[in-house]
Amino acid sequence: LYARGADERREPASVTKIMTQLLIVEAVEAGTLTLDEIVTASASAAGIGGSQMYLEEGERISVRDLMKALTVNSANDAAVVMAERIAGSEEAFAKLMNERAGALGMADTHFTNASGLYPDDEHYTTARDVAIMSRELMGHELIREFTTIWTGTLRDGTFNLANTNRLIHDYKGATGLKTGYTSRAGYCLSAAAERDGIEYIAVVLGCDTGAIRFGEAAALLDFAFNNYVLISLLPSEPLPPVPVVLGKARYVQPVPEGDVCLVVTKAEARVIEKRISILTAVPAPVLEGERLGAIVVHSGDRIIAELDIVSAESSRSLTWAEIFARFFSLLFTAG
C-alpha cells in the first residue's frame, strides 16, 4: 500500500529470526518437531553474544521455551539451538533458510546465519522481502502464541521475558512481530497489527534510533487503517445452479474462484459495484473448475478486480442410451 526504498538491500539484524521462526513453526506443523521436545544447548549456542537467554552448554530446555526467548527477548542462543536441532548445524540451517526464501520469491535475500547478530556482507534482505516472510509467518496461528507475549518468565520464574517490540503494549491490535538492531543494520522492525478483520504489516529498516523505528512503523500502520478497508468480492446472494445440456448431472453449481477479499481505499469502497456475468446454460461435458462467468468489480468507471466463476463439480456427457432413457422418461411423465 505504501513503499519507499523497498528493494534496497540491507542487513536485517535480528529481523532475520522471522525466517528462523518460520522454519521452526513449519517443522512443528509437519510433525518433525514438537513444542514439548527437550533440546540440549551446544557449546556454540552457549557461546554466542548479543541478546540471549544465557544458555549453558548442556542445558536442557523445551522448544516452547526456546521459542518464547527467541521471539520475545530476541535470544540469539535460542536461535542457534533451534537451527542445530532442525538442520544439524547453523550453516546447514542457513541453507534451508535460503531455500525457503527462494520458494517465497524473496529474490533479494541471502542468509548466512539464524540470528542476524554478526555483520556479514553476504547476509542481507530488503523491506519487501521481510514483508513477504512476515506475511508467511503470520499465516501460521501458532506463532501468535509467542509474538503477542508482552512480559513473562522462564526457568520457573528465574528468567524474565520482556518483549523487545514495544508496539505489542502501545499499539492497538498489535500482533507481532520482530525487532532487530546492530550498529551496521541500525534499528529495524517488522510490525503487524489487526483490526476489524484485516491485518497489516509494516517494515522499517536502518532507523537511527529505536524510537524512530517504532514511530515509523506505527505511522505506516495508521496510514493503512485510516485509508483502506477490506471488502468482499462475493455476490450478495448465492449464485443459482447452471443447467448442463445433455449432462449426467443436470446442473452444476457456480462458485467464485480465488481471493474473495480485496483491500481498497475507503473512497473506492463507497462507489463499489459488482457486475456478474454467468452462462445461462453450458453443454456437457463440464469439468470441475471450468469457467462459467466472472464477477467484475467497478469503482466508478475503473475496473479494480475480476473474479472468475467456475463449476464446483463435473458433469459428464450422457451416453446415447442415457439420452434415449431420459427422453422416454420425459414422454412417460408427460403422458
mmCIF file of all heavy atoms in Angstrom, residues 326-335:
data_model
loop_
_atom_site.group_PDB
_atom_site.id
_atom_site.type_symbol
_atom_site.label_atom_id
_atom_site.label_comp_id
_atom_site.label_asym_id
_atom_site.label_seq_id
_atom_site.Cartn_x
_atom_site.Cartn_y
_atom_site.Cartn_z
ATOM 1 N N ARG A 326 -33.630 -40.935 -20.895
ATOM 2 C CA ARG A 326 -34.152 -39.685 -20.349
ATOM 3 C C ARG A 326 -35.312 -39.174 -21.199
ATOM 4 O O ARG A 326 -36.310 -38.671 -20.665
ATOM 5 C CB ARG A 326 -33.038 -38.635 -20.267
ATOM 6 C CG ARG A 326 -33.485 -37.319 -19.671
ATOM 7 C CD ARG A 326 -32.336 -36.355 -19.462
ATOM 8 N NE ARG A 326 -31.429 -36.793 -18.406
ATOM 9 C CZ ARG A 326 -30.377 -36.081 -17.993
ATOM 10 N NH1 ARG A 326 -30.118 -34.906 -18.569
ATOM 11 N NH2 ARG A 326 -29.612 -36.527 -17.023
ATOM 12 N N PHE A 327 -35.191 -39.328 -22.529
ATOM 13 C CA PHE A 327 -36.243 -38.873 -23.431
ATOM 14 C C PHE A 327 -37.547 -39.625 -23.165
ATOM 15 O O PHE A 327 -38.622 -39.024 -23.023
ATOM 16 C CB PHE A 327 -35.800 -39.081 -24.875
ATOM 17 C CG PHE A 327 -36.855 -38.768 -25.892
ATOM 18 C CD1 PHE A 327 -37.225 -37.460 -26.165
ATOM 19 C CD2 PHE A 327 -37.490 -39.796 -26.579
ATOM 20 C CE1 PHE A 327 -38.209 -37.171 -27.104
ATOM 21 C CE2 PHE A 327 -38.478 -39.515 -27.522
ATOM 22 C CZ PHE A 327 -38.830 -38.206 -27.778
ATOM 23 N N PHE A 328 -37.450 -40.983 -23.071
ATOM 24 C CA PHE A 328 -38.653 -41.769 -22.822
ATOM 25 C C PHE A 328 -39.219 -41.524 -21.436
ATOM 26 O O PHE A 328 -40.441 -41.555 -21.214
ATOM 27 C CB PHE A 328 -38.368 -43.270 -23.016
ATOM 28 C CG PHE A 328 -38.268 -43.635 -24.471
ATOM 29 C CD1 PHE A 328 -37.064 -44.088 -24.999
ATOM 30 C CD2 PHE A 328 -39.350 -43.515 -25.325
ATOM 31 C CE1 PHE A 328 -36.957 -44.407 -26.345
ATOM 32 C CE2 PHE A 328 -39.252 -43.837 -26.685
ATOM 33 C CZ PHE A 328 -38.056 -44.291 -27.191
ATOM 34 N N SER A 329 -38.341 -41.231 -20.495
ATOM 35 C CA SER A 329 -38.811 -40.894 -19.143
ATOM 36 C C SER A 329 -39.638 -39.620 -19.185
ATOM 37 O O SER A 329 -40.689 -39.527 -18.533
ATOM 38 C CB SER A 329 -37.618 -40.728 -18.215
ATOM 39 O OG SER A 329 -38.050 -40.278 -16.945
ATOM 40 N N LEU A 330 -39.192 -38.653 -19.991
ATOM 41 C CA LEU A 330 -39.938 -37.395 -20.123
ATOM 42 C C LEU A 330 -41.279 -37.639 -20.797
ATOM 43 O O LEU A 330 -42.306 -37.067 -20.396
ATOM 44 C CB LEU A 330 -39.107 -36.374 -20.918
ATOM 45 C CG LEU A 330 -37.874 -35.821 -20.219
ATOM 46 C CD1 LEU A 330 -37.046 -34.977 -21.202
ATOM 47 C CD2 LEU A 330 -38.284 -34.972 -19.014
ATOM 48 N N LEU A 331 -41.283 -38.514 -21.828
ATOM 49 C CA LEU A 331 -42.537 -38.832 -22.505
ATOM 50 C C LEU A 331 -43.516 -39.488 -21.554
ATOM 51 O O LEU A 331 -44.712 -39.165 -21.512
ATOM 52 C CB LEU A 331 -42.288 -39.751 -23.702
ATOM 53 C CG LEU A 331 -41.650 -39.119 -24.929
ATOM 54 C CD1 LEU A 331 -41.452 -40.198 -26.009
ATOM 55 C CD2 LEU A 331 -42.530 -38.004 -25.472
ATOM 56 N N PHE A 332 -42.990 -40.420 -20.767
ATOM 57 C CA PHE A 332 -43.847 -41.139 -19.835
ATOM 58 C C PHE A 332 -44.414 -40.195 -18.772
ATOM 59 O O PHE A 332 -45.585 -40.242 -18.423
ATOM 60 C CB PHE A 332 -43.043 -42.272 -19.157
ATOM 61 C CG PHE A 332 -43.837 -43.057 -18.176
ATOM 62 C CD1 PHE A 332 -44.729 -44.051 -18.612
ATOM 63 C CD2 PHE A 332 -43.705 -42.838 -16.811
ATOM 64 C CE1 PHE A 332 -45.466 -44.780 -17.683
ATOM 65 C CE2 PHE A 332 -44.437 -43.568 -15.899
ATOM 66 C CZ PHE A 332 -45.324 -44.551 -16.344
ATOM 67 N N THR A 333 -43.575 -39.303 -18.321
ATOM 68 C CA THR A 333 -44.012 -38.333 -17.317
ATOM 69 C C THR A 333 -45.090 -37.411 -17.913
ATOM 70 O O THR A 333 -46.088 -37.090 -17.271
ATOM 71 C CB THR A 333 -42.826 -37.492 -16.821
ATOM 72 O OG1 THR A 333 -41.843 -38.364 -16.275
ATOM 73 C CG2 THR A 333 -43.265 -36.506 -15.756
ATOM 74 N N ALA A 334 -44.831 -36.998 -19.179
ATOM 75 C CA ALA A 334 -45.800 -36.104 -19.830
ATOM 76 C C ALA A 334 -47.129 -36.807 -20.059
ATOM 77 O O ALA A 334 -48.184 -36.185 -19.973
ATOM 78 C CB ALA A 334 -45.215 -35.595 -21.161
ATOM 79 N N GLY A 335 -47.075 -38.116 -20.367
ATOM 80 C CA GLY A 335 -48.319 -38.846 -20.620
ATOM 81 C C GLY A 335 -49.091 -39.030 -19.333
ATOM 82 O O GLY A 335 -50.312 -39.064 -19.359
#
